[in-house]
């Protein structure tokens, strides 16, 4: 390992209501892959956003190559030589691959104002060749698969010739072969002396790729260790640092055999292909898959939020025709969206209103007046049942924590007497403590006879919670596993079962030891 | 050529090539192109129908009339196309046009400045309004709908105040009216100015950095920001450019009427936006073309002209255009759903 590239110390960052970073430190050397790990909400992303000028720190110092620097915006970070590949893809879908890569620093010609499209395309081609990506630079990004879009992001970061490269969950949408290809590129860059900050939830990857690991928890720095000196278990215990709710593996025998929901040959454009499955009373059915596999699309289709091309849905053995969310709710299906702030809640309104919103007809009295007392009683009962931490029913939902917001959404559907609940990434963006409460809640709901579909990208969560697991890839269900036969490896294997193996074929020149190990 | 067995890799490459071709085909028949072809086809169909319906329609003078009628709205629409591609909107283009023509009147008739100064001053007045629109949107974070709604009223009010609510005539400077009404080879200058403006706009949109960032902002503003683009500055530049086109339209309007009419202007913004939308530019941003907008503007004036020649009352012409706007956007939605 070479000189110290980045040194951060005493970093503080507070958002309204959240102390996101407190006395954080971090060191990156040239020619190392430095993994940054921690549970959701531990502050990893915030820390790198401070380093890349997306957020400004409240206090603390940043040194770059020994000199103290201020990084007030992303441009300054880029000029210093610090690039980041964000977790959420940051591409412009209407522009081409080449236009995306060179956005902000297009080669010019003539009077400095004209674009040199030819040069952009040529340079992009070279760049793509370098990472063995066979793509036409003139392809619109909207026409690419998520995995290819990810590769474009990587090519973009590479094009800055950065000395510091930050990757935030780069493999979340990649297949094994693609991941190995990414690792090959990372090693190549490391050997050139680039310092790489690697953020990932997939701890098994760290062993393969990282030299050192820094662990964060609840916005604090915990420790930095050499990867080869620690076990994954040790890293996990550093990350968690406290007792979290662990259920014994869900027992498939508990579920009854009564099928409450059956979906047959569901199709919708390119995103849902011939999806069939069933859901039993009291069961938690996990939906696993990579980003963009079509899980949310299936949920939205069943819920009537998107029109379907073909397919049949049976609720309790009766064929139903769901054309809108209203129909779905009538059939007793509730959907808790991935992005609860956008689709699940009215943030500016209070807890009470949010809970009874979908049920308001029940409380209408003479001339359509709302019976306030009954509304209050109903809302209070759900607040108690779900143990929603709120100062009162009149509290605006936006002031609650993520976990409690999630509970308000659950309360809404319980008030509506939904028998079938679809949870889309129920624990995304909520802290470890609230997470375990949500797990408990899901189990309680299942035990009380509700049937649950849980979409999650976190494999441990899927494995811990599900009675059965359906795995999707590119719009198809590629496998179904019972709780007892499911392992992370088997799920990943199904999750990357692409229809055409073009990616694997292209990377066939690369040795892929781990992929074969997984395939076995 | 040496022959060798086809390997898995070759197959993958072939498959990929086929896919590339499919993508190309799709982008030809699917994205911006469809709407443009559709719009162009409708324009041709209308032309043919009106020509058959009335012998007067296809006459040279009437065609020139249509071109002339398109010029002002066309220039406005071209300007607002930029703003709409960023995902924004500019409701002030109509009254800013009026403001620009009033200012031209002030410069030339009241202050007796040279015509060229009056023309440039009018365009600059439009640019200033656009600059303010952009600044309010970018710096004060006020949604463009509200910001430009405010500017629409401000420009309208100022036009009336400055002119004393009376038209300003260019009596001392007969040359001024030549700007729009003079002609080259029988084609009125206004039409030439419109075509010139459209060609320049198209070049800016497709060949320059400003154009690239116009699309980038509309496609994913956050990504643009994270790529180190000074989003605020470019947004202000784009609204200012829109203002320049409004200013140009104002000068042409003043020249054509040989007077600055302070009460005119409101309603023009909606016709301009309608032309943009008919031309296939998406109101959600990220896509659009100047050619589409020009076709859109022509569709509106051909329709108006044709219906008038068929003696359909003006009230009904407005109804028809309203239906066309909705149909055009609906066609766009259908196309998107198919993806």
């Amino acid at each position: 390992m070479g000189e110290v590239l980045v040194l951060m110390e005493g970093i503080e960052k507070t958002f309204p209501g959240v102390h996101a970073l407190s006395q954080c430190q971090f060191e990156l050397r040239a020619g190392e892959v430095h993994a940054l790990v921690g549970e959701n909400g531990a502050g990893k992303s915030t820390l790198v956003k401070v380093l890349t000028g997306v957020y400004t720190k409240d206090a603390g110092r940043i040194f770059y190559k020994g000199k103290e620097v201020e990084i007030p915006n992303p441009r300054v970070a880029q000029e210093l030589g610090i690039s980041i590949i964000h977790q959420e893809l940051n591409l412009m879908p209407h522009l081409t691959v080449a236009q995306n890569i060179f956005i902000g620093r297009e080669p010019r010609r003539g009077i400095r104002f004209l674009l040199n499209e030819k040069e952009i395309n040529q340079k992009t081609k070279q760049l793509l060749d370098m990472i063995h990506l066979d793509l036409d630079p003139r392809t619109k990004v909207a026409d690419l698969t998520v995995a290819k879009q990810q590769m474009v992001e990587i090519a973009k970061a590479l094009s800055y010739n950065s000395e510091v490269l930050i990757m935030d969950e780069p493999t979340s949408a990649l297949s094994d072969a693609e991941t190995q290809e990414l690792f090959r590129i990372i090693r190549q860059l490391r050997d050139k002396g680039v310092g790489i900050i690697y953020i990932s939830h997939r701890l098994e990857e760290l062993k393969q790729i990282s030299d050192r690991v820094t662990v964060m928890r609840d916005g604090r720095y915990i420790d930095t260790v050499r990867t080869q000196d620690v076990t994954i278990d040790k890293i996990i215990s550093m990350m968690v640092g406290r007792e979290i709710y662990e259920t014994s593996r869900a027992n498939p025998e508990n579920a009854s055999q009564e099928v409450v929901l059956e979906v047959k040959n569901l199709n919708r454009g390119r995103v849902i292909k011939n999806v069939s499955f069933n859901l039993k009373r009291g069961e938690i059915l996990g939906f696993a898959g990579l980003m963009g596999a079509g899980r949310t699309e299936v949920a939205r289709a069943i819920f009537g939020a998107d029109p379907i091309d073909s397919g049949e849905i049976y609720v309790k053995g009766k064929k139903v025709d769901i054309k809108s969310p209203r129909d779905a709710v009538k059939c007793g299906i509730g959907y808790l969206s991935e992005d609860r702030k956008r689709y699940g809640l009215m943030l500016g309104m209070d807890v009470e209103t949010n809970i009874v919103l979908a049920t308001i007809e029940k409380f209408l009295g003479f001339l359509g007046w709302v019976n306030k007392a009954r509304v209050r009683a109903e809302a209070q009962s759900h607040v108690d049942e779900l143990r929603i931490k709120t100062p009162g029913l009149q509290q605006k939902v936006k002031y609650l924590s993520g976990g409690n917001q999630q509970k308000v959404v659950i309360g809404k559907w319980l008030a509506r007497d939904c028998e079938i609940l679809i949870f889309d990434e129920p624990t995304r963006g909520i802290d470890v403590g609230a997470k375990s409460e949500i797990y408990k809640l899901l189990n309680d709901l299942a035990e009380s006879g509700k049937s649950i579909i849980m979409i999650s990208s976190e494999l441990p969560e899927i494995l811990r919670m599900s009675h059965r697991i359906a795995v999707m890839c590119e719009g198809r269900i590629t496998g179904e596993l019972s709780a007892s036969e499911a392992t992370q490896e088997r799920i990943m294997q199904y999750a990357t079962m692409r229809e055409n193996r073009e990616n694997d074929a292209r990377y066939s020149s690369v040795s892929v030891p781990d992929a074969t190990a997984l395939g076995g | 050529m040496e022959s060798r067995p086809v390997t898995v890799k070759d197959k993958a490459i072939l498959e990929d090539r086929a896919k590339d071709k499919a993508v190309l085909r799709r982008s030809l028949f699917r994205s911006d192109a469809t709407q443009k072809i559709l719009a162009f086809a409708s324009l041709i169909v209308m032309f043919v129908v009106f020509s058959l319906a009335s012998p007067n329609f296809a006459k040279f003078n009437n065609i020139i009339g249509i071109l002339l009628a398109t010029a002002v709205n066309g220039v406005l629409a071209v300007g607002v196309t930029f703003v709409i591609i960023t995902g924004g909107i500019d409701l002030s283009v109509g009254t800013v046009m009026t403001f620009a023509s009033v200012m031209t009147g002030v410069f030339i008739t009241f202050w007796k400045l040279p015509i060229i100064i009056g023309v440039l001053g009018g365009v600059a007045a439009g640019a200033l309004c656009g600059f303010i629109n952009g600044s309010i949107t970018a710096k004060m974070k006020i949604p463009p709908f509200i910001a430009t709604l405010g500017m629409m009223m401000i420009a309208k009010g100022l036009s009336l105040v400055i002119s004393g609510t009376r038209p300003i005539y260019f009596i001392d400077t007969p040359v001024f009216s030549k700007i729009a009404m003079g002609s080259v080879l029988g084609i009125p200058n206004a039409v030439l100015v419109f075509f010139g403006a459209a060609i320049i706009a198209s070049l800016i949109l497709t060949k320059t950095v400003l154009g690239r960032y116009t699309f980038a902002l509309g496609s994913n503003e956050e990504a643009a920001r994270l790529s180190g683009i000074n989003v605020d500055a470019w947004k202000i530049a784009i609204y200012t450019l829109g203002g320049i086109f409004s200013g140009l339209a104002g000068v042409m309007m003043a020249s054509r009427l040989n007077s600055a009419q302070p009460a005119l202007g409101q309603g023009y913004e909606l016709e301009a936006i309608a032309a943009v939308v008919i031309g296939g530019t998406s109101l959600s941003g990220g896509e659009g073309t100047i050619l589409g907008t020009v076709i859109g503007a022509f569709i509106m004036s051909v329709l108006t002209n044709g219906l008038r020649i068929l003696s359909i009352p003006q009230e009904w012409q407005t109804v028809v255009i309203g239906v066309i706007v909705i149909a055009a956007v609906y066609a766009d939605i259908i196309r998107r759903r198919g993806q």
Side-chain angles (χ1 to χ4, degrees):
Chain A
M1 273 183 272
E3 54 159 345
V4 176
L5 281 176
V6 173
L7 183 65
M8 301 172 82
E9 52 181 40
I11 304 292
E12 294 276 338
K13 179 72 192 174
T14 309
F15 296 110
V18 197
H19 201 157
L21 295 176
S22 142
Q23 288 297 316
C24 270
Q25 61 183 77
F26 186 76
E27 181 201 81
L28 178 73
R29 288 171 178 274
E32 76 162 334
V33 177
H34 194 143
L36 189 55
V37 299
E39 289 271 345
N40 276 343
K44 302 160 293 184
S45 293
T46 312
L47 186 69
V48 296
K49 280 182 177 165
V50 167
L51 180 59
T52 50
V54 177
Y55 296 150
T56 46
K57 60 187 180 342
D58 297 341
R61 309 209 291 168
I62 302 174
F63 296 90
Y64 186 71
K65 293 182 175 175
K67 267 207 332 244
E68 181 162 5
V69 290
E70 286 296 323
I71 305 176
N73 59 54
R75 172 140 248 170
V76 171
Q78 264 171 19
E79 279 161 8
L80 284 173
I82 302 173
S83 285
I84 181 163
I85 300 164
H86 290 275
Q87 187 173 356
E88 58 283 0
L89 291 172
N90 268 300
L91 295 169
M92 283 149 276
H94 298 92
L95 303 189
T96 69
V97 171
Q99 289 168 354
N100 264 285
I101 289 177
F102 283 96
I103 191 81
R105 58 212 162 97
E106 292 81 359
R108 317 279 175 82
R109 63 192 161 89
I111 48 166
R112 292 273 306 135
F113 210 59
L114 294 174
L115 296 165
N116 192 337
E117 208 66 10
K118 211 169 151 188
E119 192 182 333
I120 287 188
N121 287 330
Q122 271 170 4
K123 280 190 169 173
T124 303
K125 191 73 205 157
Q126 286 167 8
L127 210 57
L128 296 175
D129 285 346
M130 199 170 90
I131 60 171
H132 299 269
L133 192 61
D134 187 17
L135 260 186
D136 186 341
R138 290 164 300 175
T139 318
K140 263 195 185 185
V141 163
D143 291 329
L144 300 178
T145 62
V146 177
K148 286 216 170 129
Q149 291 183 4
Q150 186 98 29
M151 289 305 208
V152 171
E153 282 264 35
I154 290 166
K156 179 176 170 186
L158 290 180
S159 70
Y160 282 97
N161 291 321
S162 311
E163 289 182 80
V164 174
L165 186 59
I166 304 162
M167 299 189 178
D168 194 352
E169 300 276 357
T171 57
S172 54
L174 301 188
S175 72
D176 286 329
E178 286 161 337
T179 301
Q180 290 307 321
E181 179 63 15
L182 173 66
F183 285 177
R184 189 186 64 75
I185 296 162
I186 290 177
R187 291 192 187 105
Q188 188 183 323
L189 291 169
R190 180 190 62 191
D191 296 343
K192 280 190 195 155
V194 177
I196 292 153
I197 302 174
Y198 189 90
I199 300 175
S200 179
H201 274 304
R202 298 193 189 165
L203 297 178
E204 63 280 14
E205 287 178 3
L206 302 187
K207 277 282 181 192
Q208 280 189 55
I209 192 71
S210 73
D211 302 305
R212 289 197 291 169
V213 182
T214 289
V215 181
M216 293 182 68
R217 182 170 75 228
D218 301 331
R220 290 168 194 282
Y221 168 85
I222 301 300
D223 201 2
T224 301
V225 291
R226 286 164 61 88
T227 313
Q228 61 190 71
D229 298 343
V230 290
T231 60
I232 288 182
D233 285 343
K234 173 70 182 154
I235 297 175
I236 291 174
S237 69
M238 285 160 68
M239 275 166 55
V240 179
R242 62 178 143 153
E243 214 49 44
I244 60 164
Y245 174 77
E246 283 283 350
T247 46
S248 51
R249 266 285 192 74
N251 185 352
E253 308 309 320
N254 280 355
S256 78
Q257 289 306 306
E258 183 192 343
V259 172
V260 290
L261 174 73
E262 177 148 32
V263 172
K264 283 185 183 164
N265 301 323
L266 200 65
N267 278 293
R268 173 166 179 258
R270 287 186 283 172
V271 291
I272 304 175
K273 295 174 196 153
N274 255 326
V275 163
S276 305
F277 66 93
N278 65 44
L279 176 68
K280 302 192 178 84
R281 176 174 298 283
E283 182 183 47
I284 299 178
L285 175 65
F287 260 74
L290 299 171
M291 240 160 71
R295 296 165 300 162
T296 297
E297 286 74 9
V298 168
R300 287 178 58 91
I302 295 171
F303 190 59
D306 295 324
I308 56 172
D309 298 340
S310 66
E312 293 168 356
I313 299 172
Y314 298 83
V315 173
K316 291 183 184 163
K318 233 176 68 194
K319 184 164 185 226
V320 292
D321 188 19
I322 296 176
K323 286 217 172 74
S324 70
R326 200 183 153 77
D327 298 338
V329 172
K330 274 191 198 147
C331 298
I333 301 174
Y335 172 59
L336 292 86
S337 69
E338 186 169 13
D339 191 347
R340 54 188 169 272
K341 288 187 179 153
R342 264 175 70 198
Y343 304 115
L345 285 171
M346 294 185 210
L347 290 174
M349 302 187 83
D350 59 25
V351 171
E352 178 183 296
T353 310
N354 269 287
I355 290 180
V356 300
L357 191 77
T359 335
I360 201 79
E361 294 107 11
K362 276 207 286 189
F363 305 102
L364 296 182
F366 181 63
L367 286 179
W369 280 74
V370 177
N371 186 332
K372 267 280 183 195
R374 279 180 56 211
V375 163
R376 196 145 298 167
E378 171 88 17
Q380 190 63 50
S381 75
H382 291 293
V383 167
D384 295 342
E385 181 189 354
L386 300 169
R387 273 172 293 151
I388 300 174
K389 272 184 226 125
T390 166
L393 291 175
Q394 264 66 49
Q395 178 74 336
K396 284 188 181 166
V397 168
K398 65 177 161 191
Y399 298 121
L400 301 185
S401 71
N404 282 302
Q405 288 183 353
Q406 184 66 291
K407 288 184 186 175
V408 172
V409 188
I410 297 173
K412 178 170 91 178
W413 295 116
L414 291 182
R416 193 72 224 227
D417 297 322
C418 286
E419 291 288 313
I420 299 163
L421 293 168
I422 306 174
F423 289 84
D424 200 346
E425 303 283 2
T427 62
R428 174 168 291 176
I430 60 188
D431 64 60
V432 189
K435 221 178 204 178
S436 64
E437 273 199 66
I438 298 281
Y439 293 154
K440 205 180 225 158
L441 200 63
L442 289 181
N443 276 332
D444 292 348
L445 288 171
E447 251 162 55
S448 73
K450 310 271 186 209
S451 308
I452 292 171
I453 293 173
M454 183 184 76
I455 299 172
S456 173
S457 297
E458 288 181 39
L459 289 183
E461 179 169 294
I462 286 271
L463 288 167
R464 185 189 295 167
M465 298 302 300
S466 317
H467 298 114
R468 251 186 328 140
I469 298 162
V471 190
M472 289 192 69
C473 177
E474 294 181 343
R476 296 163 300 131
I477 292 191
T478 45
E480 203 185 289
L481 297 161
S482 70
S484 53
E485 59 187 1
T487 60
Q488 297 214 7
E489 289 71 29
R490 293 196 65 172
I491 292 177
M492 280 313 290
Q493 196 185 326
Y494 284 127
T496 54
M497 246 193 204
R498 315 237 149 144
E499 252 172 328
N500 47 2
R501 308 287 293 180
E502 31 127 9
N503 292 311
D504 303 335
R506 180 156 326 124
Y507 302 136
S508 59
S509 57
V510 187
S511 69
V512 190
D514 296 272
T516 46
L518 288 180
Chain B
M1 238 172 70
E2 68 175 311
S3 72
R4 61 188 171 92
V6 178
T7 65
V8 181
K9 205 166 177 179
D10 291 336
K11 259 189 196 156
I13 290 170
L14 286 176
E15 262 174 39
D16 239 54
R17 282 203 192 128
K19 221 187 248 172
D20 284 349
K21 260 185 214 156
V23 166
L24 187 70
R25 219 176 309 132
R26 240 184 292 143
S27 54
L28 269 180
F29 288 98
R30 187 188 63 184
S31 48
D32 326 344
T34 329
Q35 184 85 358
K36 234 186 300 165
I37 291 167
L38 208 68
F40 195 65
S42 343
L43 185 59
I44 301 290
V45 168
M46 270 179 216
F47 212 86
V48 171
V49 168
F50 285 132
S51 306
L52 293 176
S54 161
N56 293 327
F57 181 81
K59 283 198 175 134
F60 181 76
N61 278 343
N62 192 47
I63 303 287
I64 292 298
I66 291 174
L67 289 171
L68 204 53
T70 317
V72 169
N73 184 36
V75 171
L76 282 181
V78 163
V80 83
T81 303
F82 284 88
V83 173
I84 290 179
I85 293 175
T86 67
I89 194 81
D90 190 346
L91 296 177
S92 70
V93 291
T95 58
V96 166
M97 169 187 84
T98 309
F99 178 67
S101 57
V102 167
M103 287 315 289
T104 306
V106 168
F107 293 140
I108 295 177
T109 304
F110 288 3
W111 296 356
K112 315 282 182 210
L113 293 172
I115 287 179
I116 179 73
I117 302 290
V119 169
L120 292 178
V123 173
L128 179 68
C129 293
F131 178 81
I132 294 170
N133 278 334
S135 305
I136 295 174
T137 308
K139 295 292 181 191
M140 291 161 72
K141 309 291 173 208
I142 291 176
F145 187 95
I146 303 298
T148 60
L149 182 69
M151 177 55 72
M152 170 171 125
M153 294 170 172
I154 292 168
K156 183 183 179 187
L158 281 180
S159 307
L160 290 168
V161 170
I162 292 170
S163 64
T165 70
R166 285 183 302 273
I168 305 171
Y169 293 96
F170 297 91
I171 6 173
D172 308 329
T173 48
V175 182
F176 181 70
S177 72
K178 289 272 180 278
I179 293 174
M181 300 310 284
S183 63
V184 176
L185 301 175
I187 300 170
N189 289 344
V191 175
L192 297 174
V193 171
F194 167 43
F195 283 152
I199 289 167
I200 291 170
S202 188
L203 290 175
I204 292 175
L205 193 59
T206 55
K207 301 286 181 212
T208 72
V209 185
L210 183 70
R212 177 63 40 82
Y213 294 168
T214 304
F215 285 106
L217 290 189
S219 189
N220 187 345
E221 190 174 321
E222 181 62 10
R225 196 173 75 86
L226 292 173
S227 301
I229 293 173
N230 188 342
V231 167
D232 288 356
W234 286 106
K235 205 181 261 182
I236 293 172
I238 293 161
Y239 277 87
T240 307
L241 183 67
I244 289 175
F245 282 102
S246 301
L248 183 61
V251 172
M252 283 162 63
M253 193 72 168
S255 167
R256 212 182 124 189
L257 301 174
N258 203 17
S259 62
Q261 299 283 345
L264 217 70
Q266 199 150 15
Y268 277 70
E269 67 283 338
L270 297 181
E271 293 202 12
I273 293 167
V276 175
V277 166
I278 292 174
T281 296
S282 158
L283 277 181
S284 49
E287 53 187 323
T289 57
I290 296 296
L291 181 60
T293 296
V294 170
I295 294 171
F298 274 119
I299 286 183
M300 291 186 58
S301 43
V302 164
L303 211 57
T304 313
N305 181 282
L307 294 173
R308 189 167 56 226
I309 284 186
L310 298 183
S311 323
I312 289 167
Q314 182 161 12
E315 296 75 16
W316 281 107
Q317 296 169 20
T318 318
V319 172
V320 172
I321 290 176
V323 171
I324 297 282
V325 168
I326 293 171
V329 176
Y330 187 60
D332 193 44
I333 289 171
I334 297 277
R335 169 174 72 86
R336 264 163 229 283
R337 207 180 278 163
Q339 289 181 23

